Amino acid sequence: MKKLFLPFLLITFLIACKNDGTGPGGSSSSDAARYHVIPQPVSLIEMQGEFKVTGDTKVLLASNDEGLKTAAAHLASLLIKATGTTIAPMEGEAAKDAFIFQLDPSISHEEGYSLIVTPYEVTVRAKTGAGAFYAIQTLRQLMPIEVEAGKTASLAIPCVEITDQPRYTHRGMMLDVGRHFFSVDDVKKYIDLMALHKMNRFHWHLTEDQGWRLEIKKYPKLQTVAACRKETLVGHYNDTPQKYDGKQYCGYYTQDQAREIVKYAAERFITVIPEIEMPGHALAAIAAYPELGCTGKPAEVGTKWGVYDNVFCPNEATFKFLEDVLTEVMEIFPSKYIHIGGDECPKTMWEQSAFCQNLIKQNNLKDEHGLQSYFIQRMEKFLNSKGRSIIGWDEILEGGLAPNATVMSWRGTDGGIAAAKQDHDVIMTPTDFCYLDYYQSQATNEPLAIGGYLPLDKVYSYNPDPADLTPEQQKHILGVQANLWTEYIPDFAKLTYMAYPRASAIAEVAWSPQASRNYDDFTARLSYHQKRLKAMGLNAANKAYDVKTNVTVVPGKGIEVGLSPIMDGVEIHYSLDGNDVSPSSLLYSQPLKIEKDCILRAQSFEKGQPVGTEAELRFRMHKAAGKQITMSNLPAEKYAGAGPSALINGVHGSVERYGGMEWLGFEGKDFEAMVDLGAVTELNAVTVRFFNGPGQWVYLSQEPVGRYCWRGQANTRIGQHRVHQCGR
Ligand code: ACM
């Protein structure tokens, strides 16, 4: 991910603390063991009995439709895997002991389906092959988990009646192969997982500062130069000094391989949307062809993360290059949409370039943002002339939207809302809910991530339909997408760890009706779904069981910690002395009172085995802990953590990384808080801690100045900070 320079100043500040279903059709949460389908179908009616697959079971196609045949072929391959028996689909109308596929034009939604399982037959009805394919994904999740690992002794599917259709048409997952390259097999596995979750748009981020990953025949140096960097940053971007591994890193997909991926995805009813970044994130291409930059000087493919100033120059050489590239891209990718990036394009080079300044004047553009808009509009015109449409990140709003562009709203939802109000289509993918490269727990042993904190329940809580749009404008919200930027994701095992189960939550956000979504019901189904992912050999994180802590300061009562989740069959045990937690440690039943320095560790156990990530909180009591606090302005929404009480709840914010609940961030406004100690109290120290994490978009205040006051001696210095006597 690559969003290091947000146009605001963020100051972080912390006073050191010493201190049955719910589906409208009646789907039931009561039997998640039998019906653990993710995403939750629109209507699922549980029935008695089961359909048993035998050696005589047939797969019958009531129509010669190609889509239906593709879908049925997937069922046949599942059945071979599960039973070891080849059950080739054949034409036929109705029979006992059969899976029957029928096209049904009366189904209103293009991707909708109905699935009826009785003890005698399984009937799939769909308007299109896509709908039938989704019915099979549902069937697959109704089959025993063991089918994923291979043969089962017997294969039975519980009886059920399902009617289903997606909420959104764009149900996307993005994969950045620029920062780290993933093999064709890995990309196929990523697509398989999308298919299992009924996702239908694979956004393939193919070009970056750190590597150009698609063969372009007309420009061979994209393969020999732009696809290789001489070394790669090790550790986090914030580390000082930054370190490198000294190893060359290369990789690109041949056009044949890209075509193979397109075909593989299409067989799973997934459209591949390629992204060719412009005008920013272009360093690798400029390293190969320096004339594409504004200075014409030699450049190197990026070796560290972040945003680079060296961007495409809006000159004729660049436009010719990009048109040639996109011509080859369109030959590979049949997608209506081509993503042309548009994000994070520093304007430094354009400001310094006489050519760019002249271009701005000649075209009566307002400024460099106008020039970016000119750039994007020119590329849009080219693509529109070939019958394609562009998608761009929300920066394409700046300087004026290209007339037919679809906006991918990532810096929150404001861009998406503004675009919808201008009658443009929108895909919602705000960092706060959809960036799966963020940390997913507060545990200090989480593998290295870019920053942030995006736990599973927060992903699940997302509703992509903004409240302040008219019904007509709402129609422009095409859907939602999870993004997987790979700066800190070097291999497929870490990829699946970061993506799942949060992508399972996004799938439900994208598919299931808002009114029927329920986090407890989701996690009950997820506990089985996770086992399926494991049986598939995937390294998914087990985050539904993570112990979450809720530290509250209750006036008059002091500091309390609540632990969750409370789930059937799961116990939370804890220790308060920092010792390892086992099933014989204290059993959690109600909020814990914290009155002195301690280390709280808590872990979920299922059948005596630890599940999910342990939580750890270090309490250091100080004279303000548990007292009352007021703030004259609240932290910025995105960086609000536990709110003002973070400063007086006795918990020390982690120094390893920004994220979680204990650091508060402020954008633009000064920070002012007053702690009422309740009585005249002698103080011997005031400690202030700041977090400096530019790689996580967290910055110190420009001046190391705070104005801390107490009733006592004035003008004392504490570290670099002058402490004043309070005015009242
Ligand atoms: C982005 O994350 N820069 C779109």
Side-chain angles (χ1 to χ4, degrees), residues 1-3 343-344 393 410 435 485:
M1 178 173 41
K2 41 187 182 132
K3 53 200 96 50
D343 60 319
E344 296 180 321
W393 299 108
W410 72 280
Y435 270 46
W485 301 104

Side-chain angles (χ1 to χ4, degrees), residues 194-257:
M194 288 180 60
L196 175 66
H197 291 85
K198 304 187 177 97
M199 303 293 268
N200 66 351
R201 301 283 184 264
F202 172 46
H203 170 176
W204 204 5
H205 184 82
L206 284 162
T207 69
E208 256 311 332
D209 295 307
Q210 298 84 359
W212 181 287
R213 305 285 174 221
L214 181 66
E215 178 188 29
I216 300 294
K217 297 206 191 271
K218 200 160 186 180
Y219 295 95
K221 282 201 244 166
L222 291 177
Q223 286 77 257
T224 54
V225 177
C228 280
R229 57 180 178 255
K230 72 168 193 255
E231 58 185 357
T232 303
L233 187 79
V234 182
H236 201 278
Y237 181 94
N238 283 344
D239 295 349
T240 40
Q242 289 175 326
K243 292 198 204 80
Y244 295 85
D245 64 4
K247 291 186 209 143
Q248 195 186 44
Y249 187 95
C250 302
Y252 69 91
Y253 305 94
T254 64
Q255 294 199 352
D256 282 347
Q257 287 173 326

